[in-house]
Amino acid sequence: MFRRIGNAVVRHPVWTIVAWLIAAVAIVATAPSLPSNSDESSFLPKSYESIKAADLQTKAFPSAFTPSAIVLYQRTDGGKLTAADQQDVARITSELGKKPIDQVQKVVPGQPSKDGRYALTLVQMDSKNAGQPKQADAAKVLREDAKDLAKGTHLDAKLGGSAAQALDQQDSSQRGQALIGIGTFVIILVALLIIFRAPILAVLPLILIGLVSAAANGLIAYATKLFDLQANSSISSILIVVLFGVGTDYFLFLMFRYRERLRAGDEPKQAMVNAVDRVGEAIASAAGAVIIAFLALVLSTLGFLKQMGPALAIAVAATLIAGLTLIPAVVSLIGPKVFWPSKSWQREPDNARFAALGRGVQRRPALTAAVSGLVLVALSLGTFGYKATFDLASGSMPKTKESMVVQDEMQKAYSAGAAAPTDVYLSSTDGKPLDKAAFDAYAKKLGAVDGVASVRTTQVNKDGTTADFTVTLKYEASTDKAIDAVGRVRDIAHSSAPQGTEALVGGMSSIYKDINAAVNHDYRTVFPVAAVLIMVILGLLLRSMVAPWYLIASVGLGFGATLGATVWIFQEGQGHSGLMFMLPVIMYLFVVAIGTDYNILMIARLREEAREGREPREAAGMALRHAGPTVAAAGFILAATFATMLLAGNSLLTEMGFAVSFGIAVAAFVMAMFFTPSLTALIGHAAWWPGHGDRAEEAAVGTVDGALGSEPVPGEDRDTVAHDPSGRRGQ
C-alpha cells in the first residue's frame, strides 16, 4: 500500500501539491471560528451536584444577583478610604450602571472591607453566556470605563471576577501562542540546520507543516461545532506544538530514509518511492498509537478533555497524511538539491558514539537495565507527593494579570472565600412551601462545619419552595482546604436537611470538587483504555504477545518518572500548592503514546538485526548503534519543541511544557536507548513469542526492512542497509 502511495505522489507531485492547496484554502475559508469557554462549570456533565445546583439556581432565582465582574477600589497611597473616596466610589458605581454595555445587566455597590481600605462595585452579566468571549469583551469595556471614571480621584480601580479573568486569560493565551510559535520555529530551524546543514531542508518542514496546521485547525473547528464540544484557548497553544513537533518527527523519518536510499545509489525519484514504501508503515504505526491515545480522551467526563482528544487526533491524522503525500511530493520535485550545500548526504558517518553505547549494552545488558530502571523508579517516588489544583483561570495566566491581583487582594481584605461563596439550595420535595422556622437551625448546623466562616439566608423563591443559604468559606475557592470544606458542607447539608426537603450545594468550590471526582474517574477509565489499545497496535506490529507487555510497562514507568520529577520541580522546588488537575492525564497520553513510538523504532531495528543471524545481545548493541541517532534526533527536537510552552508565562502551560518535554526526553534517551534494548536482550528469543519473528531463517523471506514485514526493494544493497547509520531501516 505504501509503495503505491509513494508511486502516486512521486509521479504526480504537482497535482498532489495543488490538491493540498485547494483543500487547505477551502477548509480555512469555510471553517467556523473555534469557540473558547473559560467557565469551569461548562466542562462537567449535568449529573454532577454542582451543575444540578446551578440549574436549580437559574430556575428558582432567575433574577438572582451573581457578580461576573468586580471593581475593587483602594486609595493610591494605600490608606483608609475617606468620606470623599466613598462618594467617588458611589459615583463611579452609578455611572457604570448607566452605561449601555453589552452583557451587563445590573451594577450595584458591594460591602467595604473591615479594615476600611477597600470598596467594591459588583457587576452582574447574562448567566447564559458565562465564560464566553462576549463577556470578556464586556469586561474590557468595564475596565477602561472604571479607570476613566476614577481619573482625578485618589482611587485606584481594578477589575476582577470571572469575566475579567476570561479577558486576561484570552490576552495571556494570545501572547503565549506567539511566544510558543516563535520558539517552536526557531528550535526546529536550528536543529534541522545542525542535523542536515541544509537551509532548504530546515525551512521546508516549517512551510509545509504551516499549511497542514491551517487545514487541521479548520477541521478541528468543524468537529467542535458538529459535536457541540467545549473548547479552551489553551488548546490552540498545545496544537501548535503537536503539529510542528510531531510533524517534524515524521519529516525526519522520511528524510533519513530518503538520504539512505540516495546513498545506496537509487535514482532520486525512485529513492523517494522506496523511502515512502519503507518508512510509511513506521509513520502510520507511530501516528496510530498517538491518535488512539488522544481519542481515548473521548471517554473523559470533562468537556475540556473531550474536546482536546479529537482535536489532537485530527491534527496528528492530518500530519500523517501530509507525511505520506505532501512532503514526498515536494521533496521529489526538489530532488537531492534539498540537501544543498551540504555534501554529507553522499557519505555515511561512523556513528562512533552510538557504536560505543551499543557495545556497552551488548556487554552488560543486566547492568544497563538495572541502572536505567533504578533511575526511572527513583524519579517515580515523587508521585507520592502529587497534589492537584483546580483553578483553571489562574493557572492559565501570570499572577501579575489585573484579575489575579484583584483576587489576591480580595483574599487579604475580605474572607478568602468571599470572592466565590458556596450556595446551599434547600428545596421542598413535595412542592409545599418550606418551613422558615427551621432555617435558623439549619444555618447554624452549616455554620458549625469546619472551614466555614459565615452562613446567611439570602433569598427564598416566590413560591417559597427553595431557599438559598450563602456559605462563605475561610479558604480561597480552588484550594484543597476549600474543596475538603465544601465536602463537609455537602455532608451536613444533605444529612441535616429537614424532612420533606433536599439540598444541593453549588458554587466554585463545589464545581472544583466535582472536577476532582471527574478526573479520578478519567484516571480509572482513560489510562487503561489507552494502554490496552496501544498494546494492541504493538502486538499487531511486532507480531508478539510478550514484547507489548514489557514495552507498555516501561513506558508506564517513564510516566511515573515524569510525574515524579514534575512534582519535585514545581511543588517542592517552586512551592506550587499543586499541579493543574488535568496535567497527569495529558502527560500520560503524550508520554505513553510518543514514548511508545521511540520504543517501536528501537525494538523494530533490534528484531531486524536479530533476523540477520545475530544473537539477542549483539542485536541490541547493533540496534542502538544504528537506530540511536534517529531516536536522539527525533527525541531532542520534539522535547525541545514542547519545552517552548515554558515561554507562555502561566502555570498550566509551564507545567505541561516541562512535564511533556521531560517525559519525551526520558522516553527517547533512557527507555528507548537503554532500558528497552537491554531488557529485550535479557529476555532473548522469548520476547518474540509466539511468532519468533527474530529467527535468522526468516531473513530468507527477503526483508531488508523485515521488522515491519515489508517486501524487498529491487536494487537495495544488503550490506549498505545493514550498516545504515540513520537508523531508518525497520521503522
Side-chain angles (χ1 to χ4, degrees):
M1 180 181 74
F2 296 106
R3 172 164 286 276
R4 288 196 295 270
I5 293 173
N7 272 319
V9 298
V10 170
R11 286 176 182 172
H12 309 288
V14 174
W15 286 112
T16 302
I17 296 168
V18 169
W20 262 97
L21 289 172
I22 292 174
V25 170
I27 291 171
V28 171
T30 60
S33 59
L34 186 65
S36 180
N37 197 328
S38 59
D39 180 17
E40 285 90 341
S41 65
S42 67
F43 300 150
L44 287 168
K46 300 292 185 182
S47 58
Y48 283 88
E49 181 171 349
S50 59
I51 307 304
K52 290 180 178 178
D55 291 341
L56 176 61
Q57 177 193 15
T58 302
K59 295 175 183 177
F61 308 105
S63 60
F65 187 90
T66 303
S68 298
I70 301 171
V71 183
L72 179 68
Y73 306 95
Q74 67 179 125
R75 283 185 60 86
T76 53
D77 60 9
K80 290 187 177 181
L81 298 175
T82 65
D85 294 331
Q86 292 171 353
Q87 289 178 357
D88 285 332
V89 169
R91 175 184 58 81
I92 294 172
T93 301
S94 175
E95 292 190 27
L96 282 176
K98 295 176 182 177
K99 289 181 176 291
I101 302 174
D102 181 43
Q103 297 296 306
V104 174
Q105 296 177 329
K106 190 183 297 183
V107 180
V108 300
Q111 293 182 341
S113 62
K114 292 181 180 179
D115 61 9
R117 296 177 185 273
Y118 296 89
L120 302 173
T121 293
L122 306 178
V123 182
Q124 182 181 19
M125 297 186 187
D126 188 351
S127 61
K128 296 178 181 178
N129 296 318
Q132 297 297 328
K134 60 179 65 178
Q135 293 205 349
D137 295 339
K140 184 176 182 179
V141 175
L142 278 169
R143 180 173 286 169
E144 293 172 352
D145 288 349
K147 292 184 185 301
D148 287 341
L149 291 171
K151 288 180 180 178
T153 70
H154 296 288
L155 296 174
D156 179 25
K158 300 187 187 75
L159 190 73
S162 60
Q165 289 176 354
L167 172 63
D168 290 341
Q169 183 181 355
Q170 186 181 88
D171 293 341
S172 178
S173 176
Q174 291 173 352
R175 175 181 175 275
Q177 284 181 42
L179 290 173
I180 289 171
I182 294 170
T184 298
F185 291 167
V186 170
I187 286 172
I188 292 175
L189 187 66
V190 172
L192 290 177
L193 278 172
I194 293 173
I195 293 172
F196 293 105
R197 295 185 291 280
I200 298 176
L201 204 57
V203 174
L204 192 59
L206 297 176
I207 297 173
L208 298 182
I209 299 170
L211 177 64
V212 176
S213 175
N217 274 286
L219 292 174
I220 289 166
Y222 272 121
T224 301
K225 183 176 181 180
L226 180 63
F227 297 104
D228 193 26
L229 300 170
Q230 298 294 338
N232 185 273
S233 54
S234 297
I235 291 179
S236 298
S237 300
I238 300 170
L239 278 173
I240 293 173
V241 178
V242 169
L243 280 162
F244 283 90
V246 175
T248 302
D249 259 12
Y250 298 162
F251 181 82
L252 279 172
F253 294 172
L254 185 68
M255 294 313 300
F256 267 78
R257 178 51 67 109
Y258 178 58
R259 185 177 66 179
E260 174 198 333
R261 296 313 317 148
L262 290 174
R263 286 172 175 170
D266 286 0
E267 182 271 330
K269 289 190 178 296
Q270 188 60 42
M272 181 54 71
V273 174
N274 291 341
V276 174
D277 179 40
R278 296 304 187 181
V279 85
E281 189 171 355
I283 295 177
S285 299
V290 178
I291 290 170
I292 282 179
F294 288 157
L295 286 178
L297 284 177
V298 173
L299 301 175
S300 171
T301 52
L302 293 172
F304 172 74
L305 294 178
K306 273 182 177 290
Q307 196 272 346
M308 179 184 288
L312 296 179
I314 289 170
V316 174
T319 307
L320 165 63
I321 296 171
L324 296 176
T325 58
L326 179 62
I327 294 173
V330 173
V331 174
S332 67
L333 274 180
I334 301 173
K337 292 180 181 178
V338 74
F339 296 104
W340 179 88
S342 173
K343 302 293 185 182
S344 62
W345 64 272
Q346 297 175 350
R347 59 185 182 275
E348 299 178 20
D350 295 330
N351 290 328
R353 293 180 181 176
F354 288 97
L357 292 174
R359 288 193 297 271
V361 171
Q362 179 178 341
R363 292 169 184 169
R364 298 180 180 86
L367 179 62
T368 304
V371 171
S372 55
L374 284 173
V375 169
L376 297 175
V377 170
L379 290 173
S380 297
L381 296 176
T383 58
F384 293 106
Y386 167 73
K387 293 180 181 178
T389 183
F390 300 90
D391 190 354
L392 190 60
S394 63
S396 300
M397 69 187 97
K399 294 294 185 183
T400 54
K401 284 292 186 179
E402 186 170 317
S403 59
M404 292 295 97
V405 173
V406 170
Q407 179 174 290
D408 291 341
E409 290 182 349
M410 285 191 64
Q411 289 177 30
K412 298 172 184 175
Y414 298 82
S415 170
T422 294
D423 290 286
V424 177
Y425 299 103
L426 189 67
S427 299
S428 170
T429 56
D430 56 10
K432 297 179 180 179
L434 296 169
D435 180 9
K436 295 183 180 180
F439 285 2
D440 288 342
Y442 188 63
K444 188 175 181 180
K445 289 181 179 179
L446 293 174
V449 174
D450 182 26
V452 172
S454 64
V455 179
R456 59 192 177 94
T457 307
T458 54
Q459 55 188 333
V460 179
N461 70 339
K462 62 180 182 180
D463 297 329
T465 55
T466 301
D468 179 6
F469 295 82
T470 299
V471 179
T472 303
L473 302 177
K474 296 178 181 178
Y475 318 109
E476 194 274 319
S478 65
T479 62
D480 289 339
K481 289 183 178 179
I483 293 170
D484 292 341
V486 86
R488 294 190 290 271
V489 169
R490 280 184 176 182
D491 292 339
I492 296 300
H494 297 158
S495 62
S496 300
Q499 187 174 3
T501 66
E502 65 177 2
L504 291 174
V505 181
M508 289 310 303
S509 293
S510 185
I511 289 172
Y512 293 139
K513 184 171 182 60
D514 287 341
I515 288 177
N516 188 29
V519 170
N520 289 334
H521 167 271
D522 291 349
Y523 291 161
R524 297 189 299 269
T525 306
V526 176
F527 281 24
V529 168
V532 168
L533 292 176
I534 291 174
M535 283 181 66
V536 170
I537 287 182
L538 287 171
L540 294 174
L541 178 66
L542 301 174
R543 299 168 183 85
S544 166
M545 294 182 64
V546 175
W549 285 98
Y550 69 82
L551 287 177
I552 202 70
S554 70
V555 175
L557 194 58
F559 163 77
T562 303
L563 180 57
T566 307
V567 168
W568 276 331
I569 292 292
F570 291 97
Q571 289 185 202
E572 306 298 333
Q574 297 189 11
H576 289 197
S577 60
L579 303 179
M580 290 306 297
F581 66 91
M582 80 284 285
L583 185 63
V585 176
I586 295 171
M587 186 193 310
Y588 175 84
L589 294 170
F590 277 107
V591 173
V592 169
I594 296 173
T596 300
D597 290 349
Y598 297 141
N599 269 341
I600 287 174
L601 289 174
M602 185 59 70
I603 200 169
R605 182 58 186 253
L606 191 154
R607 184 176 70 169
E608 183 179 342
E609 298 294 343
R611 281 182 164 181
E612 294 182 0
R614 296 181 175 91
E615 288 301 310
R617 292 193 179 196
E618 184 186 2
M622 293 298 293
L624 180 54
R625 174 183 176 181
H626 295 309
T630 301
V631 173
F636 170 78
I637 290 180
L638 194 59
T641 303
F642 274 101
T644 59
M645 288 186 177
L646 295 169
L647 302 173
N650 66 70
S651 58
L652 171 61
L653 292 179
T654 297
E655 291 172 3
M656 191 182 300
F658 171 82
V660 177
S661 60
F662 184 86
I664 290 169
V666 167
F669 295 100
V670 179
M671 289 188 301
M673 295 184 99
F674 296 104
F675 191 67
T676 296
S678 59
L679 201 59
T680 305
L682 288 173
I683 296 174
H685 296 296
W688 310 102
W689 184 88
H692 301 297
D694 65 323
R695 298 301 186 185
E697 56 267 27
E698 291 195 13
V701 177
T703 57
V704 175
D705 272 11
L708 296 179
S710 306
E711 290 300 320
V713 178
E716 280 194 332
D717 179 71
R718 185 177 184 79
D719 293 332
T720 299
V721 177
H723 295 86
D724 167 32
S726 69
R728 293 301 161 184
R729 183 172 54 93
Q731 292 175 37

